[in-house]
Amino acid sequence: MNSHPEINGERLLARLDMFAKIGATPGGGVNRQALTPGDREARALLTRLAKARSFSVFQDDAANLFIRMEGRDGSQPPLLIGSHLDSQPSGGRFDGALGTLTAFEVLESLADAGVEPERPVEVVAWTNEEGCRFAPGCMGSRAFVEGKIPAEWADLRASDDGARFEDERLSTIDALAADSSHRRLGFPVAAYLELHIEQGPSLESEEIPIGIVTGVQGTRWLEVAFEGQTAHAGTTALQYRRDPLKALTMGLSALYAGVMPENADARFTVGRIAVAPGSVNAIPATASCTIDLRHPETAVLDRLEDDIRSGLTEAAARENVSVAIRKTVDMEPVTFSSDMVAALQAAAQKAGLPTKTMISGAFHDALFVAGCAPSAMIFVPCRDGLSHNEAEYVKPEDSVTGARMFLASVLELLPRA
Amino acid sequence: MNSHPEINGERLLARLDMFAKIGATPGGGVNRQALTPGDREARALLTRLAKARSFSVFQDDAANLFIRMEGRDGSQPPLLIGSHLDSQPSGGRFDGALGTLTAFEVLESLADAGVEPERPVEVVAWTNEEGCRFAPGCMGSRAFVEGKIPAEWADLRASDDGARFEDERLSTIDALAADSSHRRLGFPVAAYLELHIEQGPSLESEEIPIGIVTGVQGTRWLEVAFEGQTAHAGTTALQYRRDPLKALTMGLSALYAGVMPENADARFTVGRIAVAPGSVNAIPATASCTIDLRHPETAVLDRLEDDIRSGLTEAAARENVSVAIRKTVDMEPVTFSSDMVAALQAAAQKAGLPTKTMISGAFHDALFVAGCAPSAMIFVPCRDGLSHNEAEYVKPEDSVTGARMFLASVLELLPRA
């Protein structure tokens, strides 16, 4: 038989529930950070589901996981579809998982309908998209595009338990070695398509079920380290203090008051802060924080980064402490292929789905894959724009509508790609 | 023989070096936090030194360590002299140790001279003066004055390794059980005298070798906990954010700018700060800090605490987050016995030592012991007023001069007390 493929909504929603149990948190979210046992369990489950449908499974040296459906012409580069399975420490159940399971649902719906695609279609689960346990994020797609593991990752250690990235990478690959074939890192791809929750409020508030993403804003991560002098809290008068936390606090408060109000498209976030020695009655010796800065325009990012550096440097000088600022991530803004965007718009029209074109506020693996293949993204609404939060939520009907849009897009792309 | 007792400066300085090796840090300081193996090692060393001089050794249920030299009338309450042996996580080698070893040197110098004091003289090493591993500080002297271990300490856990206070207290006592006799918690004391480094800059800058302390400023510790909502750093626009770290930063920056400059005698210190979940690309869900607030006047402390509470509460409201503020320590300012101060001034005059009367910026065990016996303190200069710092330093001659003053004071107090 060769019927018209259709999304099995109940199956997709059941799969979402299955994966949400892996690393489930009391608050209803998931903690399935990259290369942890939870992440491996999710990879193993997806592999079992793939083998049950006799799709072939591959891993590369970045522990990226591929599930392949053969096409009429196996020599053609595949259409690559997918997302990631890792999460934030207190993350939601949809970020990454929805895109990966939607792509797998599309593969199954094609198989259910007995469709033999023009070219191979492969589902991918990229390694460490979140970047919270090992920085930077999107390691899997970065390595895929570069065709190798960057040398500087060899010494990386986990922010939580100090585990070595190298060890965790190899153990994760080994855990599935028996059920998968090895695949070299980086291969020709016809096109890449990724579905994700918006992680912002606009689709929900405008009641539009589908976002067609035309690009991704740029992201920069800074590590800020102030160093002063610890001393007794009770005896050290103001003029004798060199307090690095005071410098950090005064510097950050000016940035909080300035950066985002003055630039509506800017995103300024301090996600980590720490002091040492960390004693209630001792002035700290050091104070450090991270800064996550985003904007759709490189020129504005440059200016904001300059403002941040000068603001923190002046704050350090005022408190007679030193400051070191290190850039750990610098992701340029990306504009997706106009052909891909046009294909998605055509698919939406055929499916009769209202859409909105938009810029992604978050970075995604598609941002990197765009460096080696035409790429694009589809967004679905999430409640209150909440993400990286246990309360992250997508209405079942929105997940199913997104999958229908994703299937229509795949059918639109297969002959074109 | 019964010669005039004299301080053995070389012995005192050698002892300071011996104890500085216990928990020594690479930076030349010590990490000998309360009830840790390092603290126990220091207690054991002092006990060995005491037994070598055939002084008797006692422990009470707060793990306070007492070394007793008998007096002509053993039924008289003892003159109690001493300090503490625990340190900050990156503390100096003099804070506590100098006072404890000076008191022990006085005991030895009396024994060397064959002096039989009018009444027993006891050296005490109080438990957990610093309060950094287990809050509050001065646990040993608090419990001594109350005559019992406060019930609320039963559930305390260490800020570093989460160890239970109860377990650490009992293990510390057991470690010396064979070498000491048990002593009930709290007993009549004729008077208490403690020597300590100033931990401030005034004696050094005014080139005065001895400070006679007439009182201790009040200290309050607050634990501040903001709660907001974690969300994605890249996609969450300003109007959708409920950022607890922004609220904390804005609130603290106003306090840093106000409290100390406006009140020359005030001391405002944030020694700990933390956020959760602590991911570089997630707005924090919670942000917390400690505040150490000090001033010599209760009325001013009340006003400053009100300012802090209202400032942080308003900052929370502005960011649409909640804040909880808990007072964990409230030590009223104390004025020492005028008779004790007069005795110290008489001793200094006889010893021909220039002195300065002053208020202590730090709290000390003497602040609590003053609740059950006439108490006073002697300060010696330290370099740059630095303390709670590996660079904490006292000139050898200043340590010896302090010990001479301490011996003279003990001889002055023995007939009076």
Side-chain angles (χ1 to χ4, degrees):
Chain A
M1 56 109 186
N2 188 332
S3 63
H4 185 71
E6 285 188 2
I7 292 299
N8 180 335
E10 286 181 6
R11 178 172 58 192
L12 173 61
L13 298 173
R15 294 274 160 81
L16 277 167
D17 290 337
M18 286 169 69
F19 279 77
K21 289 188 175 62
I22 305 174
T25 55
V30 293
N31 178 2
R32 203 165 57 217
Q33 293 183 71
L35 306 181
T36 57
D39 186 16
R40 289 171 201 169
E41 191 180 336
R43 295 158 176 267
L45 174 57
L46 187 61
T47 301
R48 283 200 301 280
L49 295 172
K51 296 181 93 65
R53 295 301 301 249
S54 21
F55 300 132
S56 42
V57 179
F58 302 87
Q59 292 187 104
D60 63 20
D61 289 339
N64 294 317
L65 184 66
F66 300 90
I67 294 161
R68 177 179 174 100
M69 177 185 202
E70 271 313 331
R72 213 167 298 147
D73 180 353
S75 70
Q76 289 289 313
L79 172 63
L80 196 61
I81 58 177
S83 190
H84 62 96
L85 289 172
D86 64 305
S87 85
Q88 290 280 323
S90 65
R93 47 187 292 181
F94 297 95
D95 179 354
L98 180 61
T100 309
L101 297 176
T102 296
F104 187 71
E105 170 58 31
V106 165
L107 224 56
E108 289 197 279
S109 64
L110 292 175
D112 293 340
V115 171
E116 188 184 28
E118 288 83 349
R119 60 182 61 252
V121 182
E122 294 197 11
V123 173
V124 60
W126 301 109
T127 294
N128 185 28
E129 191 268 353
E130 295 293 355
C132 45
R133 188 169 178 237
F134 296 103
C138 296
M139 278 185 163
S141 48
R142 287 172 194 262
F144 182 85
V145 172
E146 289 188 35
K148 60 176 170 42
I149 307 287
E152 64 269 24
W153 294 359
D155 303 326
L156 285 179
R157 286 186 174 277
S159 61
D160 50 0
D161 57 11
R164 289 183 64 241
F165 169 72
E166 271 305 285
D167 301 337
E168 296 289 71
R169 174 180 72 86
L170 295 171
S171 308
T172 302
I173 293 169
D174 291 349
L176 280 181
D179 301 305
S180 62
S181 312
H182 180 265
R183 160 80 74 72
R184 79 175 169 77
L185 193 52
F187 51 82
V189 170
Y192 175 68
L193 185 61
E194 179 171 2
L195 177 138
H196 208 281
I197 62 174
E198 178 191 352
Q199 306 182 290
S202 65
L203 289 175
E204 181 192 39
S205 56
E206 299 170 38
E207 295 182 337
I208 299 172
I210 300 296
I212 293 177
V213 184
T214 59
V216 182
Q217 71 184 357
T219 301
R220 299 185 188 183
W221 287 0
L222 303 176
E223 283 182 4
V224 179
F226 286 81
E227 183 166 0
Q229 183 169 57
T230 183
H232 192 291
T235 58
T236 313
L238 188 56
Q239 68 270 30
Y240 296 104
R241 293 188 177 215
R242 295 180 49 220
D243 186 339
L245 182 57
K246 181 183 178 187
L248 176 57
T249 301
M250 302 307 269
L252 284 183
S253 62
L255 295 170
Y256 276 125
V259 175
M260 277 199 288
E262 289 168 19
N263 300 270
D265 294 336
R267 302 289 178 260
F268 173 85
T269 306
V270 179
R272 289 190 186 138
I273 190 166
V275 291
S279 178
V280 58
N281 54 352
I283 297 161
T286 63
S288 60
C289 75
T290 58
I291 291 176
D292 178 307
L293 178 68
R294 312 198 189 201
H295 194 281
E297 296 166 44
T298 301
V300 179
L301 281 169
D302 290 339
R303 199 174 67 247
L304 290 175
E305 185 183 334
D306 289 345
D307 295 347
I308 290 167
R309 288 178 180 272
S310 57
L312 295 176
T313 304
E314 287 157 19
R318 277 192 297 272
E319 301 305 322
N320 189 24
V321 302
S322 68
V323 62
I325 302 172
R326 197 166 64 88
K327 197 188 309 193
T328 58
V329 168
D330 188 346
M331 280 180 284
E332 287 296 296
V334 160
T335 304
F336 288 139
S337 143
S338 52
D339 293 350
M340 291 288 289
V341 170
L344 298 192
Q345 277 158 335
Q349 206 154 28
K350 291 179 188 172
L353 293 170
T355 64
K356 167 194 170 112
T357 57
M358 56 202 302
I359 290 275
S360 172
F363 61 83
H364 296 285
D365 292 300
L367 178 153
F368 296 93
V369 184
C372 74
S375 301
M377 292 188 73
I378 294 165
F379 275 175
V380 294
C382 57
R383 186 173 58 198
D384 302 331
L386 270 189
S387 183
H388 289 192
N389 186 318
E390 294 174 314
E392 182 184 85
Y393 179 74
V394 178
K395 291 199 205 109
E397 57 268 36
D398 288 339
S399 293
V400 174
T401 303
R404 284 179 48 227
M405 170 65 185
F406 200 83
L407 173 59
S409 305
V410 166
L411 295 172
E412 185 71 30
L413 284 168
L414 274 170
R416 299 193 186 199
Chain B
M1 56 107 184
N2 188 331
S3 64
H4 185 70
E6 285 188 1
I7 292 297
N8 180 336
E10 285 181 4
R11 178 170 58 190
L12 172 61
L13 298 174
R15 294 276 160 81
L16 277 168
D17 290 338
M18 286 169 69
F19 279 77
K21 288 188 176 64
I22 304 174
T25 56
V30 293
N31 178 3
R32 202 165 58 218
Q33 293 183 72
L35 306 181
T36 57
D39 186 16
R40 290 171 200 169
E41 192 180 337
R43 294 160 177 267
L45 174 57
L46 187 60
T47 301
R48 284 200 301 280
L49 295 171
K51 296 182 94 64
R53 296 301 300 250
S54 18
F55 299 133
S56 42
V57 180
F58 303 88
Q59 290 188 103
D60 63 21
D61 289 339
N64 294 316
L65 184 65
F66 300 90
I67 295 163
R68 176 179 176 99
M69 177 185 203
E70 272 313 331
R72 214 166 299 148
D73 181 352
S75 71
Q76 289 290 315
L79 173 63
L80 197 60
I81 59 177
S83 189
H84 61 96
L85 289 172
D86 64 306
S87 85
Q88 290 281 323
S90 66
R93 46 187 292 180
F94 298 94
D95 179 355
L98 179 62
T100 309
L101 297 176
T102 296
F104 188 72
E105 170 58 31
V106 164
L107 222 58
E108 289 196 279
S109 65
L110 293 174
D112 293 341
V115 170
E116 188 184 29
E118 288 82 347
R119 58 180 63 251
V121 182
E122 294 198 12
V123 172
V124 59
W126 300 109
T127 293
N128 186 29
E129 191 269 352
E130 294 294 355
C132 45
R133 186 167 179 240
F134 296 102
C138 297
M139 277 185 164
S141 48
R142 287 173 193 262
F144 182 85
V145 173
E146 290 188 36
K148 61 175 172 32
I149 306 287
E152 64 269 24
W153 294 359
D155 303 327
L156 286 177
R157 287 185 174 277
S159 61
D160 51 0
D161 56 11
R164 290 183 64 244
F165 169 73
E166 271 305 288
D167 301 337
E168 296 289 71
R169 175 180 72 87
L170 295 172
S171 308
T172 302
I173 292 169
D174 291 348
L176 282 181
D179 301 305
S180 62
S181 312
H182 180 265
R183 159 81 73 72
R184 78 174 169 77
L185 193 50
F187 51 82
V189 170
Y192 175 67
L193 185 62
E194 177 171 3
L195 177 140
H196 208 282
I197 62 174
E198 178 191 352
Q199 307 181 290
S202 65
L203 289 175
E204 181 191 39
S205 55
E206 299 170 37
E207 295 181 339
I208 298 172
I210 299 296
I212 293 177
V213 184
T214 59
V216 182
Q217 72 183 355
T219 300
R220 299 185 188 182
W221 288 359
L222 304 176
E223 282 182 6
V224 180
F226 286 82
E227 183 164 2
Q229 183 169 59
T230 184
H232 192 290
T235 58
T236 313
L238 187 56
Q239 67 270 30
Y240 297 103
R241 294 188 176 215
R242 295 181 48 220
D243 185 339
L245 181 56
K246 181 184 178 188
L248 176 56
T249 301
M250 303 306 272
L252 284 183
S253 62
L255 295 172
Y256 276 124
V259 175
M260 278 198 288
E262 289 169 18
N263 299 271
D265 295 336
R267 302 289 178 260
F268 173 85
T269 305
V270 179
R272 289 192 187 136
I273 190 165
V275 290
S279 178
V280 58
N281 54 352
I283 297 160
T286 64
S288 60
C289 75
T290 58
I291 291 174
D292 179 308
L293 177 68
R294 312 199 189 200
H295 195 280
E297 297 165 44
T298 300
V300 179
L301 281 169
D302 290 339
R303 201 176 64 247
L304 289 174
E305 185 183 335
D306 290 344
D307 295 347
I308 290 167
R309 289 178 179 273
S310 56
L312 295 176
T313 304
E314 286 157 20
R318 276 192 298 273
E319 301 305 323
N320 188 25
V321 302
S322 68
V323 63
I325 302 172
R326 197 165 65 88
K327 198 188 311 193
T328 57
V329 168
D330 187 345
M331 280 180 284
E332 286 297 295
V334 160
T335 303
F336 287 140
S337 142
S338 52
D339 292 350
M340 291 288 290
V341 170
L344 298 191
Q345 277 159 333
Q349 205 154 27
K350 291 179 187 171
L353 292 169
T355 64
K356 169 194 168 102
T357 56
M358 57 202 301
I359 290 274
S360 171
F363 61 81
H364 297 285
D365 291 300
L367 178 153
F368 296 93
V369 183
C372 73
S375 301
M377 294 188 71
I378 293 165
F379 276 175
V380 295
C382 56
R383 185 173 59 198
D384 302 332
L386 270 189
S387 183
H388 290 192
N389 186 319
E390 295 174 314
E392 181 184 85
Y393 178 75
V394 178
K395 290 197 205 111
E397 57 268 36
D398 288 339
S399 293
V400 175
T401 303
R404 284 180 46 228
M405 170 64 184
F406 201 83
L407 173 58
S409 305
V410 165
L411 295 173
E412 185 70 29
L413 284 169
L414 275 171
R416 297 193 187 201

